[in-house]
Amino acid sequence: MVLLKIAAHWQFACCKVAKKLRSHGFLLRNSARLQQVHSLHSSVTKCSLEGRESQTLVCDFDGTLLGTPSLFPYFMLVAFEGGSLLRAFLLLLLSPLLWVLGNHREITMRILVFVTFCGLRTKHLELVSRAVLPKFYLENLHLQACELLSATGKRVVLTSMPRLMVEGFLKEYLGVSEVVGAELQVVRGCYFTGLISGSTLAAKQKALKDIFGEAKADVALVSSSNLHDHLFITYCKETFVVTKEEDTSGISTEMPRSKYPKPLVFHDGRLALLPTPSATLAVFMWLPIAIPLAIFRIAMGIIFPYRVTVLIGALIGIRFAVGGPHTSTSDASTGSCRKGVLYVCTHRTLLDPVILCIALQRPVPAVTYSLSRMSEILAPMKTVRLTRDRKRDAATMRRLLCDGDLAVCPEGTTCREPYLLRFSSLFAELAENIVPVAMDARVGMFYGTTASGQKWLDPVVFMLNPLPVYTVDILERVPPEMTCAGGWMAADVANRIQKQLADALGFECTAFTRRDKYMILAGNEGVVSKQCEGPEKKPPK
């Protein structure tokens, strides 16, 4: 805690010094030059998109396509998610110095790169650039600039950032043909040295000359605040200026989710906010309070009755919103074994079954595919692991339904974004008394799920949030004639319930599965080998 106070005082003192230096002309912006270039060329908001399918476009990524004024948050994401808390803290301490340097972009970039990448494994950057950074890039894209980019045929993007940080995103989401950026130096084949090459303006000009030769690109996009962009205007026939503010006609430059060049269904990482210097400082100052608070929140769910848990949770920042009928166990089924109610839940975090029990004010056993030993111990209700062997899993669920109610998440894995993954049809084959439950979790600082990190920490990380929110909407029971007992196919029942839950939450249905998620985010199928799991355990009797 003392270290955090020292860091905060350091930051505030440096910011005061920086403001004085700037006010005395220590760093002067060439505003006259920027205004001159801005007046000579049209705004991208006034650009026509028709007939550009065969044209070539050249632009810079940072400051032009990317709307954020600083690159610090993206390096902090790499330091925090791919490195460690210590590396992220060191980068935070240097943020006042980086702000003082201002327009000295090359020096600033070299400091950012060295602190972020020195000693970092190459596979960690690959993971972050594939699973973490795309979300934050998409949220901060310039709408009109990306629309013009998408309208052209060949797209060449330059950047002062390391090429490995942006190349995958630019090619996968924006269809960029060529990416020119700084190259990170590697030692022993798997560690970054923290040094870069090719980040200078001369290197960019050389790359453009190598790509186009004596010819010229058709369109150039330049930023109204970046002098470096204006130096390669000579390589293009037509130029448009990108501004950060809204146009005088009120046209917004923010990229809404509905206009993403490619839907963002999966992403990874713990940080739920863009880690600007002020936001990162808030995170580090909150952690000493959050850790004991999270421990108390978890202990509260284990020790106290469900009704008391809701009251205490409201006092310590956990917000519950419960709606719908509280369906109880029913014996309406004619079969001798299908007596319990099967609660079919959307899957947002590992806490879904616990929150369902709180909403119903009684324990309901849950089945799950992957559950850490820690989560299994801490769960206040009975949990049973499934094996992904369809026959064995069906027998296990059928036996549990004979004993009473049961909760299941047929998506098989969590999804953070407003999408529902494909529902397994196994539950529809086993139960006639089906109650859909629409669940959603909202956080402001940390995500309580991960595909490549320590999954046993997921409930703890979720509870680290200052004001986590959980909503539970228990829908009406599915009519028996709309289940397999009424002659419907199991897949049709599963798809219809998926659509019903998606409509209740305002989400979209997808055909993605657990395997798709882990292949995209972690490069594997999301199945832990038996050697790592230990000896196989027999299902409980």
Side-chain angles (χ1 to χ4, degrees), residues 257 264-267 270 345-353 355 409-421 423 437-443 447-450 455 458 462 469-472 501-502 505-508 517:
R257 176 183 293 274
L264 178 70
V265 180
F266 302 119
H267 59 88
R270 291 297 190 185
C345 309
T346 56
H347 202 8
R348 310 311 285 176
T349 75
L350 289 178
L351 293 172
D352 290 340
I355 303 301
C409 299
E411 291 174 278
T413 188
T414 58
C415 182
R416 298 172 175 179
E417 296 300 310
Y419 298 96
L420 293 186
L421 309 187
F423 277 25
V437 181
M439 308 188 75
D440 192 18
R442 296 191 297 274
V443 297
Y447 285 116
T449 60
T450 182
K455 294 187 71 66
D458 285 358
F462 180 83
V469 179
Y470 237 110
T471 60
V472 183
L501 288 171
L505 292 168
F507 289 1
E508 294 183 30
K517 171 185 170 179

Side-chain angles (χ1 to χ4, degrees), residues 341-349 352-354 356 360 364-369 381-382 384-386 393-394 396-397 400-401 405-413 423-431 433-439 497 501:
V341 173
L342 183 62
Y343 291 95
V344 179
C345 309
T346 56
H347 202 8
R348 310 311 285 176
T349 75
D352 290 340
V354 179
L356 176 64
L360 296 173
V364 176
V367 291
T368 180
Y369 284 104
M381 73 290 174
K382 180 180 180 182
V384 179
R385 297 188 188 188
L386 298 180
D393 292 344
T396 299
M397 293 177 63
L400 291 170
L401 282 169
D405 297 346
L406 182 65
V408 62
C409 299
E411 291 174 278
T413 188
F423 277 25
S424 168
S425 61
L426 179 60
F427 76 90
E429 300 173 4
L430 305 175
N433 300 325
I434 301 175
V435 175
V437 181
M439 308 188 75
I497 293 177
L501 288 171

